[in-house]
Amino acid sequence: MHTGLDMANYSTNEFKNGLKMMIDGDPFSIVENDIVKPGKGQAFNRVKLRNLKNGRVIERTFKSGDSVEAADVMDLELQYLYSDGDMWHFMDTNSYEQYEADEKAMSESAQWLKGEEMCEVTLWNGAPLTVMPPNFVELQISESDPGVRGDTASGGTKPATLETGAVVKVPLFVEQGEIIKVDTRTAEYVSRVKD
Amino acid sequence: MSKQWQPCAGQDVIQLRSDLLGKIRNFMNERQIMEVDTPALNLGSIPDSNIDSVSTSLSLLGSKQSFYLHTSPEAYMKRLLASGCDSIYQISKVYRDAEIGRLHQPEFSMLEWYRPEFDHHSLMDEVKALLSTLGLDNAERNSYENSFMHYLDVNPHTAPLSDLQSLAGNLGLHEESDDRSLLLEFLFSHSVSPNLGQDRPLFLYDYPECQAALARLSDTTPLTSERFELFIQGMEIANGYHELCDVNEQRERFENENRRRIQNGKAEIRIDEYFMNALQAGLPKCAGVAIGIERLLMVLSGKQHINDVMTFPIKND
């Protein structure tokens, strides 16, 4: 499964979007690859790369024909099991292999997870580097003040705390105890979920 | 039904190409430059560390022979000049392996012409006149050195290697290099050429010695060669030389290019010995230039991708 191990280097002619490689000790993913070739001159690959640890995008230029160390990075669909307070535990439902993600890897994702969700986990050297929650989650509202009719100053919304601790804005008619659908990419309320 | 069989270029661009070739031929006729035709197949080629020939093999009279498809008609046209032809031009398909992208296709069209007695400046005058007939007026010119200094504030010919290295590093060249030519090419293609010819066509002349290719070295401007290029909207459109006529220097450069090829893990190119013999016999003093027809069409049609001006390009996807 660790496909990175049997090909330690990538040549520039293998460059394509999504390819993972090591730059200055960090894992990066190619987001754009342009070839610059003067008629009589050296060809270069001008590449935009996203740092998989912090999301920052850098630009680098490689002499075409050079090779770069591959990053041992892969994306897996893992099931979230539980948090012990320090670490978040995930499992590969095919192999039953378990993985521990730290707070840094979890970043904003932890607030959407209560258990059993399938998450996209990026592993670097076998350990979770980033965790993406499902695009949509359904969570119960644990706390929200009753809406006041005619209150337009707040834009017709009010804050609601969900069972996982996340806070989202919901319409005034949504009540405590209800289950709602949330888009985790925008942290926005989508709809009420009817049982 | 899939539309995949249709040409990439629209009917308007197909017509534009026809008009362009007509105008070029008129221009050449008026100046009594003769159209010639030379083969695409060649037993030898012009060694260039950065250009890969397409090779093919033919079964001829019971034996296999390998040929290169020409990367430009230069060698054959210079053999014609050495044999006594005066001013000549050719519009031909040329082939370069592994070149594909927004500005590249492995098979493309080249207009190439040669003018005995011209130097690179008088040939720039003539290219400028051709551009005017195509509605691309007021081409200006600048030296490579001036342009380089304008955008990078460093002299390409005299700057210490370490200055070029640190500048290249700051601009994102991944691997350190002690190859001056490579550093210049990176800096030029990264920070200079994208800015050139944005308002009107721009000729850049007096390229560094290490990028002389087949141009003679300058007697008047140290460290430069009598080579020029034309840029329009940041695109390299033409490449021209006050041609090198010295057979020994030419062979030395070819051998040097082949050494660089081997260093880079590329196959050595068989030198075209007929071409070397022609130089030995005597190539008249002349200047020559090659223009990429498709890139010119991109300028004339406002298309941003070479595929959009070609009928049936090879596609990436």
Side-chain angles (χ1 to χ4, degrees):
Chain A
M1 275 306 288
H2 282 246
T3 50
L5 289 181
D6 50 344
M7 37 170 155
N9 285 291
Y10 293 124
S11 162
T12 54
N13 57 33
E14 297 174 271
F15 280 14
K16 58 177 185 204
N17 290 357
L19 198 72
K20 314 280 197 305
M21 58 182 61
M22 296 300 297
I23 309 278
D24 305 335
D26 276 357
F28 282 79
S29 172
I30 294 182
V31 289
E32 210 178 298
N33 173 39
D34 278 331
I35 293 168
V36 181
K37 171 76 179 83
K40 285 279 180 185
Q42 171 69 48
F44 295 99
N45 288 60
R46 190 177 298 165
V47 184
K48 283 190 181 143
L49 300 136
R50 178 179 296 110
N51 186 323
L52 293 174
K53 286 165 87 174
N54 57 28
R56 278 188 214 120
V57 174
I58 64 164
E59 214 179 278
R60 280 292 173 97
T61 301
F62 299 84
K63 179 183 157 212
S64 297
D66 277 358
S67 54
V68 187
E69 188 191 346
D72 180 19
V73 168
M74 58 180 173
D75 297 325
L76 287 181
E77 283 282 312
L78 299 181
Q79 188 178 44
Y80 171 58
L81 300 177
Y82 65 94
S83 167
D84 61 19
D86 287 331
M87 303 297 271
W88 284 255
H89 297 258
F90 292 84
M91 183 178 70
D92 184 331
T93 54
N94 295 316
S95 67
Y96 301 108
E97 196 171 341
Q98 292 200 15
Y99 299 88
E100 294 182 348
D102 62 15
E103 199 173 344
K104 211 168 161 205
M106 292 306 294
S107 183
E108 303 288 304
S109 300
Q111 64 177 325
W112 306 115
L113 303 180
K114 61 173 183 178
E116 297 187 11
E117 294 90 349
M118 295 304 292
C119 298
E120 192 177 300
V121 179
T122 300
L123 298 181
W124 178 37
N125 294 333
L129 182 67
T130 59
V131 175
M132 294 290 287
N135 289 343
F136 298 100
V137 290
E138 293 178 359
L139 294 169
Q140 192 173 31
I141 296 175
S142 56
E143 199 185 323
S144 188
D145 293 336
V148 180
R149 262 175 221 287
D151 176 5
T152 51
S154 58
T157 63
K158 59 178 183 177
T161 306
L162 307 180
E163 57 184 309
T164 54
V167 178
V168 296
K169 283 180 178 166
V170 298
L172 299 176
F173 58 79
V174 177
E175 289 167 16
Q176 188 167 314
E178 283 190 290
I179 295 173
I180 61 166
K181 184 175 176 181
V182 179
D183 187 330
T184 61
R185 295 162 295 186
T186 56
E188 277 170 7
Y189 165 90
V190 178
S191 63
R192 280 197 284 192
V193 179
K194 302 233 165 60
D195 290 324
Chain B
M1 198 173 81
S2 160
K3 292 276 179 77
Q4 294 282 316
W5 60 270
Q6 293 227 348
C8 270
Q11 295 300 322
D12 53 338
V13 180
I14 296 172
Q15 181 66 52
L16 192 65
R17 181 190 178 93
S18 170
D19 296 344
L20 171 63
L21 295 184
K23 284 177 186 168
I24 290 170
R25 290 201 159 94
N26 280 340
F27 181 88
M28 297 295 165
N29 284 339
E30 277 168 15
R31 289 167 182 252
Q32 292 174 317
I33 304 171
M34 177 171 68
E35 180 162 13
V36 295
D37 178 66
T38 61
L41 294 169
N42 197 332
L43 286 166
S45 189
I46 290 178
D48 185 308
S49 52
N50 297 309
I51 297 179
D52 291 329
S53 301
V54 177
S55 339
T56 185
S57 96
L58 305 182
S59 301
L60 299 171
L61 304 170
S63 72
K64 281 273 187 192
Q65 279 194 56
S66 76
F67 288 85
Y68 296 110
L69 296 180
H70 64 171
T71 59
S72 88
E74 183 155 6
Y76 276 124
M77 290 183 80
K78 284 181 172 170
R79 283 167 67 183
L80 289 179
L81 292 163
S83 78
C85 282
D86 201 315
S87 301
I88 49 175
Y89 82 96
Q90 177 162 204
I91 298 169
S92 52
K93 280 285 170 58
V94 296
Y95 304 86
R96 297 181 180 187
D97 197 6
E99 296 193 4
I100 193 159
R102 189 176 77 82
L103 300 175
H104 295 93
Q105 272 284 312
E107 176 176 15
F108 63 101
S109 296
M110 188 177 268
L111 161 65
E112 184 151 325
W113 81 95
Y114 289 89
R115 290 292 243 160
E117 303 304 326
F118 278 40
D119 68 3
H120 56 314
H121 279 284
S122 40
L123 191 54
M124 277 186 262
D125 291 339
E126 188 155 78
V127 177
K128 180 177 175 174
L130 173 65
L131 292 176
S132 284
T133 66
L134 305 175
L136 302 167
D137 291 314
N138 302 318
E140 40 184 3
R141 63 186 83 171
N142 197 356
S143 71
Y144 180 98
E145 178 180 315
N146 281 342
S147 250
F148 205 92
M149 291 191 66
H150 178 73
Y151 291 106
L152 287 166
D153 207 21
V154 57
N155 187 303
H157 307 309
T158 59
L161 189 69
S162 57
D163 285 11
L164 300 180
Q165 285 171 321
S166 63
L167 188 54
N170 291 341
L171 291 170
L173 182 63
H174 186 67
E175 288 271 328
E176 274 205 2
S177 173
D178 52 11
D179 180 341
R180 188 173 186 96
S181 178
L182 181 130
L183 292 167
L184 289 179
E185 277 161 1
F186 165 72
L187 293 170
F188 183 78
S189 65
H190 191 274
S191 300
V192 183
S193 66
N195 305 303
L196 303 180
Q198 291 298 350
D199 300 326
R200 47 196 177 129
L202 175 72
F203 291 101
L204 220 58
Y205 61 88
D206 288 354
Y207 272 62
E209 269 180 358
C210 57
Q211 293 169 24
L214 282 74
R216 64 174 61 217
L217 299 185
S218 172
D219 295 327
T220 51
T221 315
L223 307 173
T224 69
S225 60
E226 298 188 338
R227 174 183 172 195
F228 69 92
E229 289 203 288
L230 168 68
F231 291 88
I232 305 180
Q233 292 156 20
M235 252 192 305
E236 179 190 356
I237 303 287
N239 178 40
Y241 312 129
H242 192 196
E243 302 289 348
L244 177 64
C245 296
D246 183 319
V247 64
N248 295 323
E249 192 177 339
Q250 186 66 81
R251 185 179 292 280
E252 228 170 80
R253 288 193 202 174
F254 284 169
E255 285 170 353
N256 188 33
E257 290 296 318
N258 261 334
R259 268 194 297 276
R260 287 178 69 107
R261 288 186 65 83
I262 292 163
Q263 275 167 17
N264 292 331
K266 292 181 171 183
E268 193 173 348
I269 298 284
R270 280 193 308 275
I271 293 175
D272 180 348
E273 290 299 335
Y274 291 116
F275 171 54
M276 302 315 286
N277 290 344
L279 285 181
Q280 181 80 55
L283 176 67
K285 276 192 145 189
C286 62
V289 63
I291 291 183
I293 294 288
E294 284 78 14
R295 296 227 185 131
L296 197 51
L297 269 172
M298 286 173 69
V299 172
L300 295 172
S301 63
K303 300 291 183 196
Q304 296 301 309
H305 200 292
I306 196 166
N307 286 5
D308 295 334
V309 300
M310 300 186 82
T311 47
F312 302 106
I314 294 174
K315 288 189 187 165
N316 244 341
D317 41 5

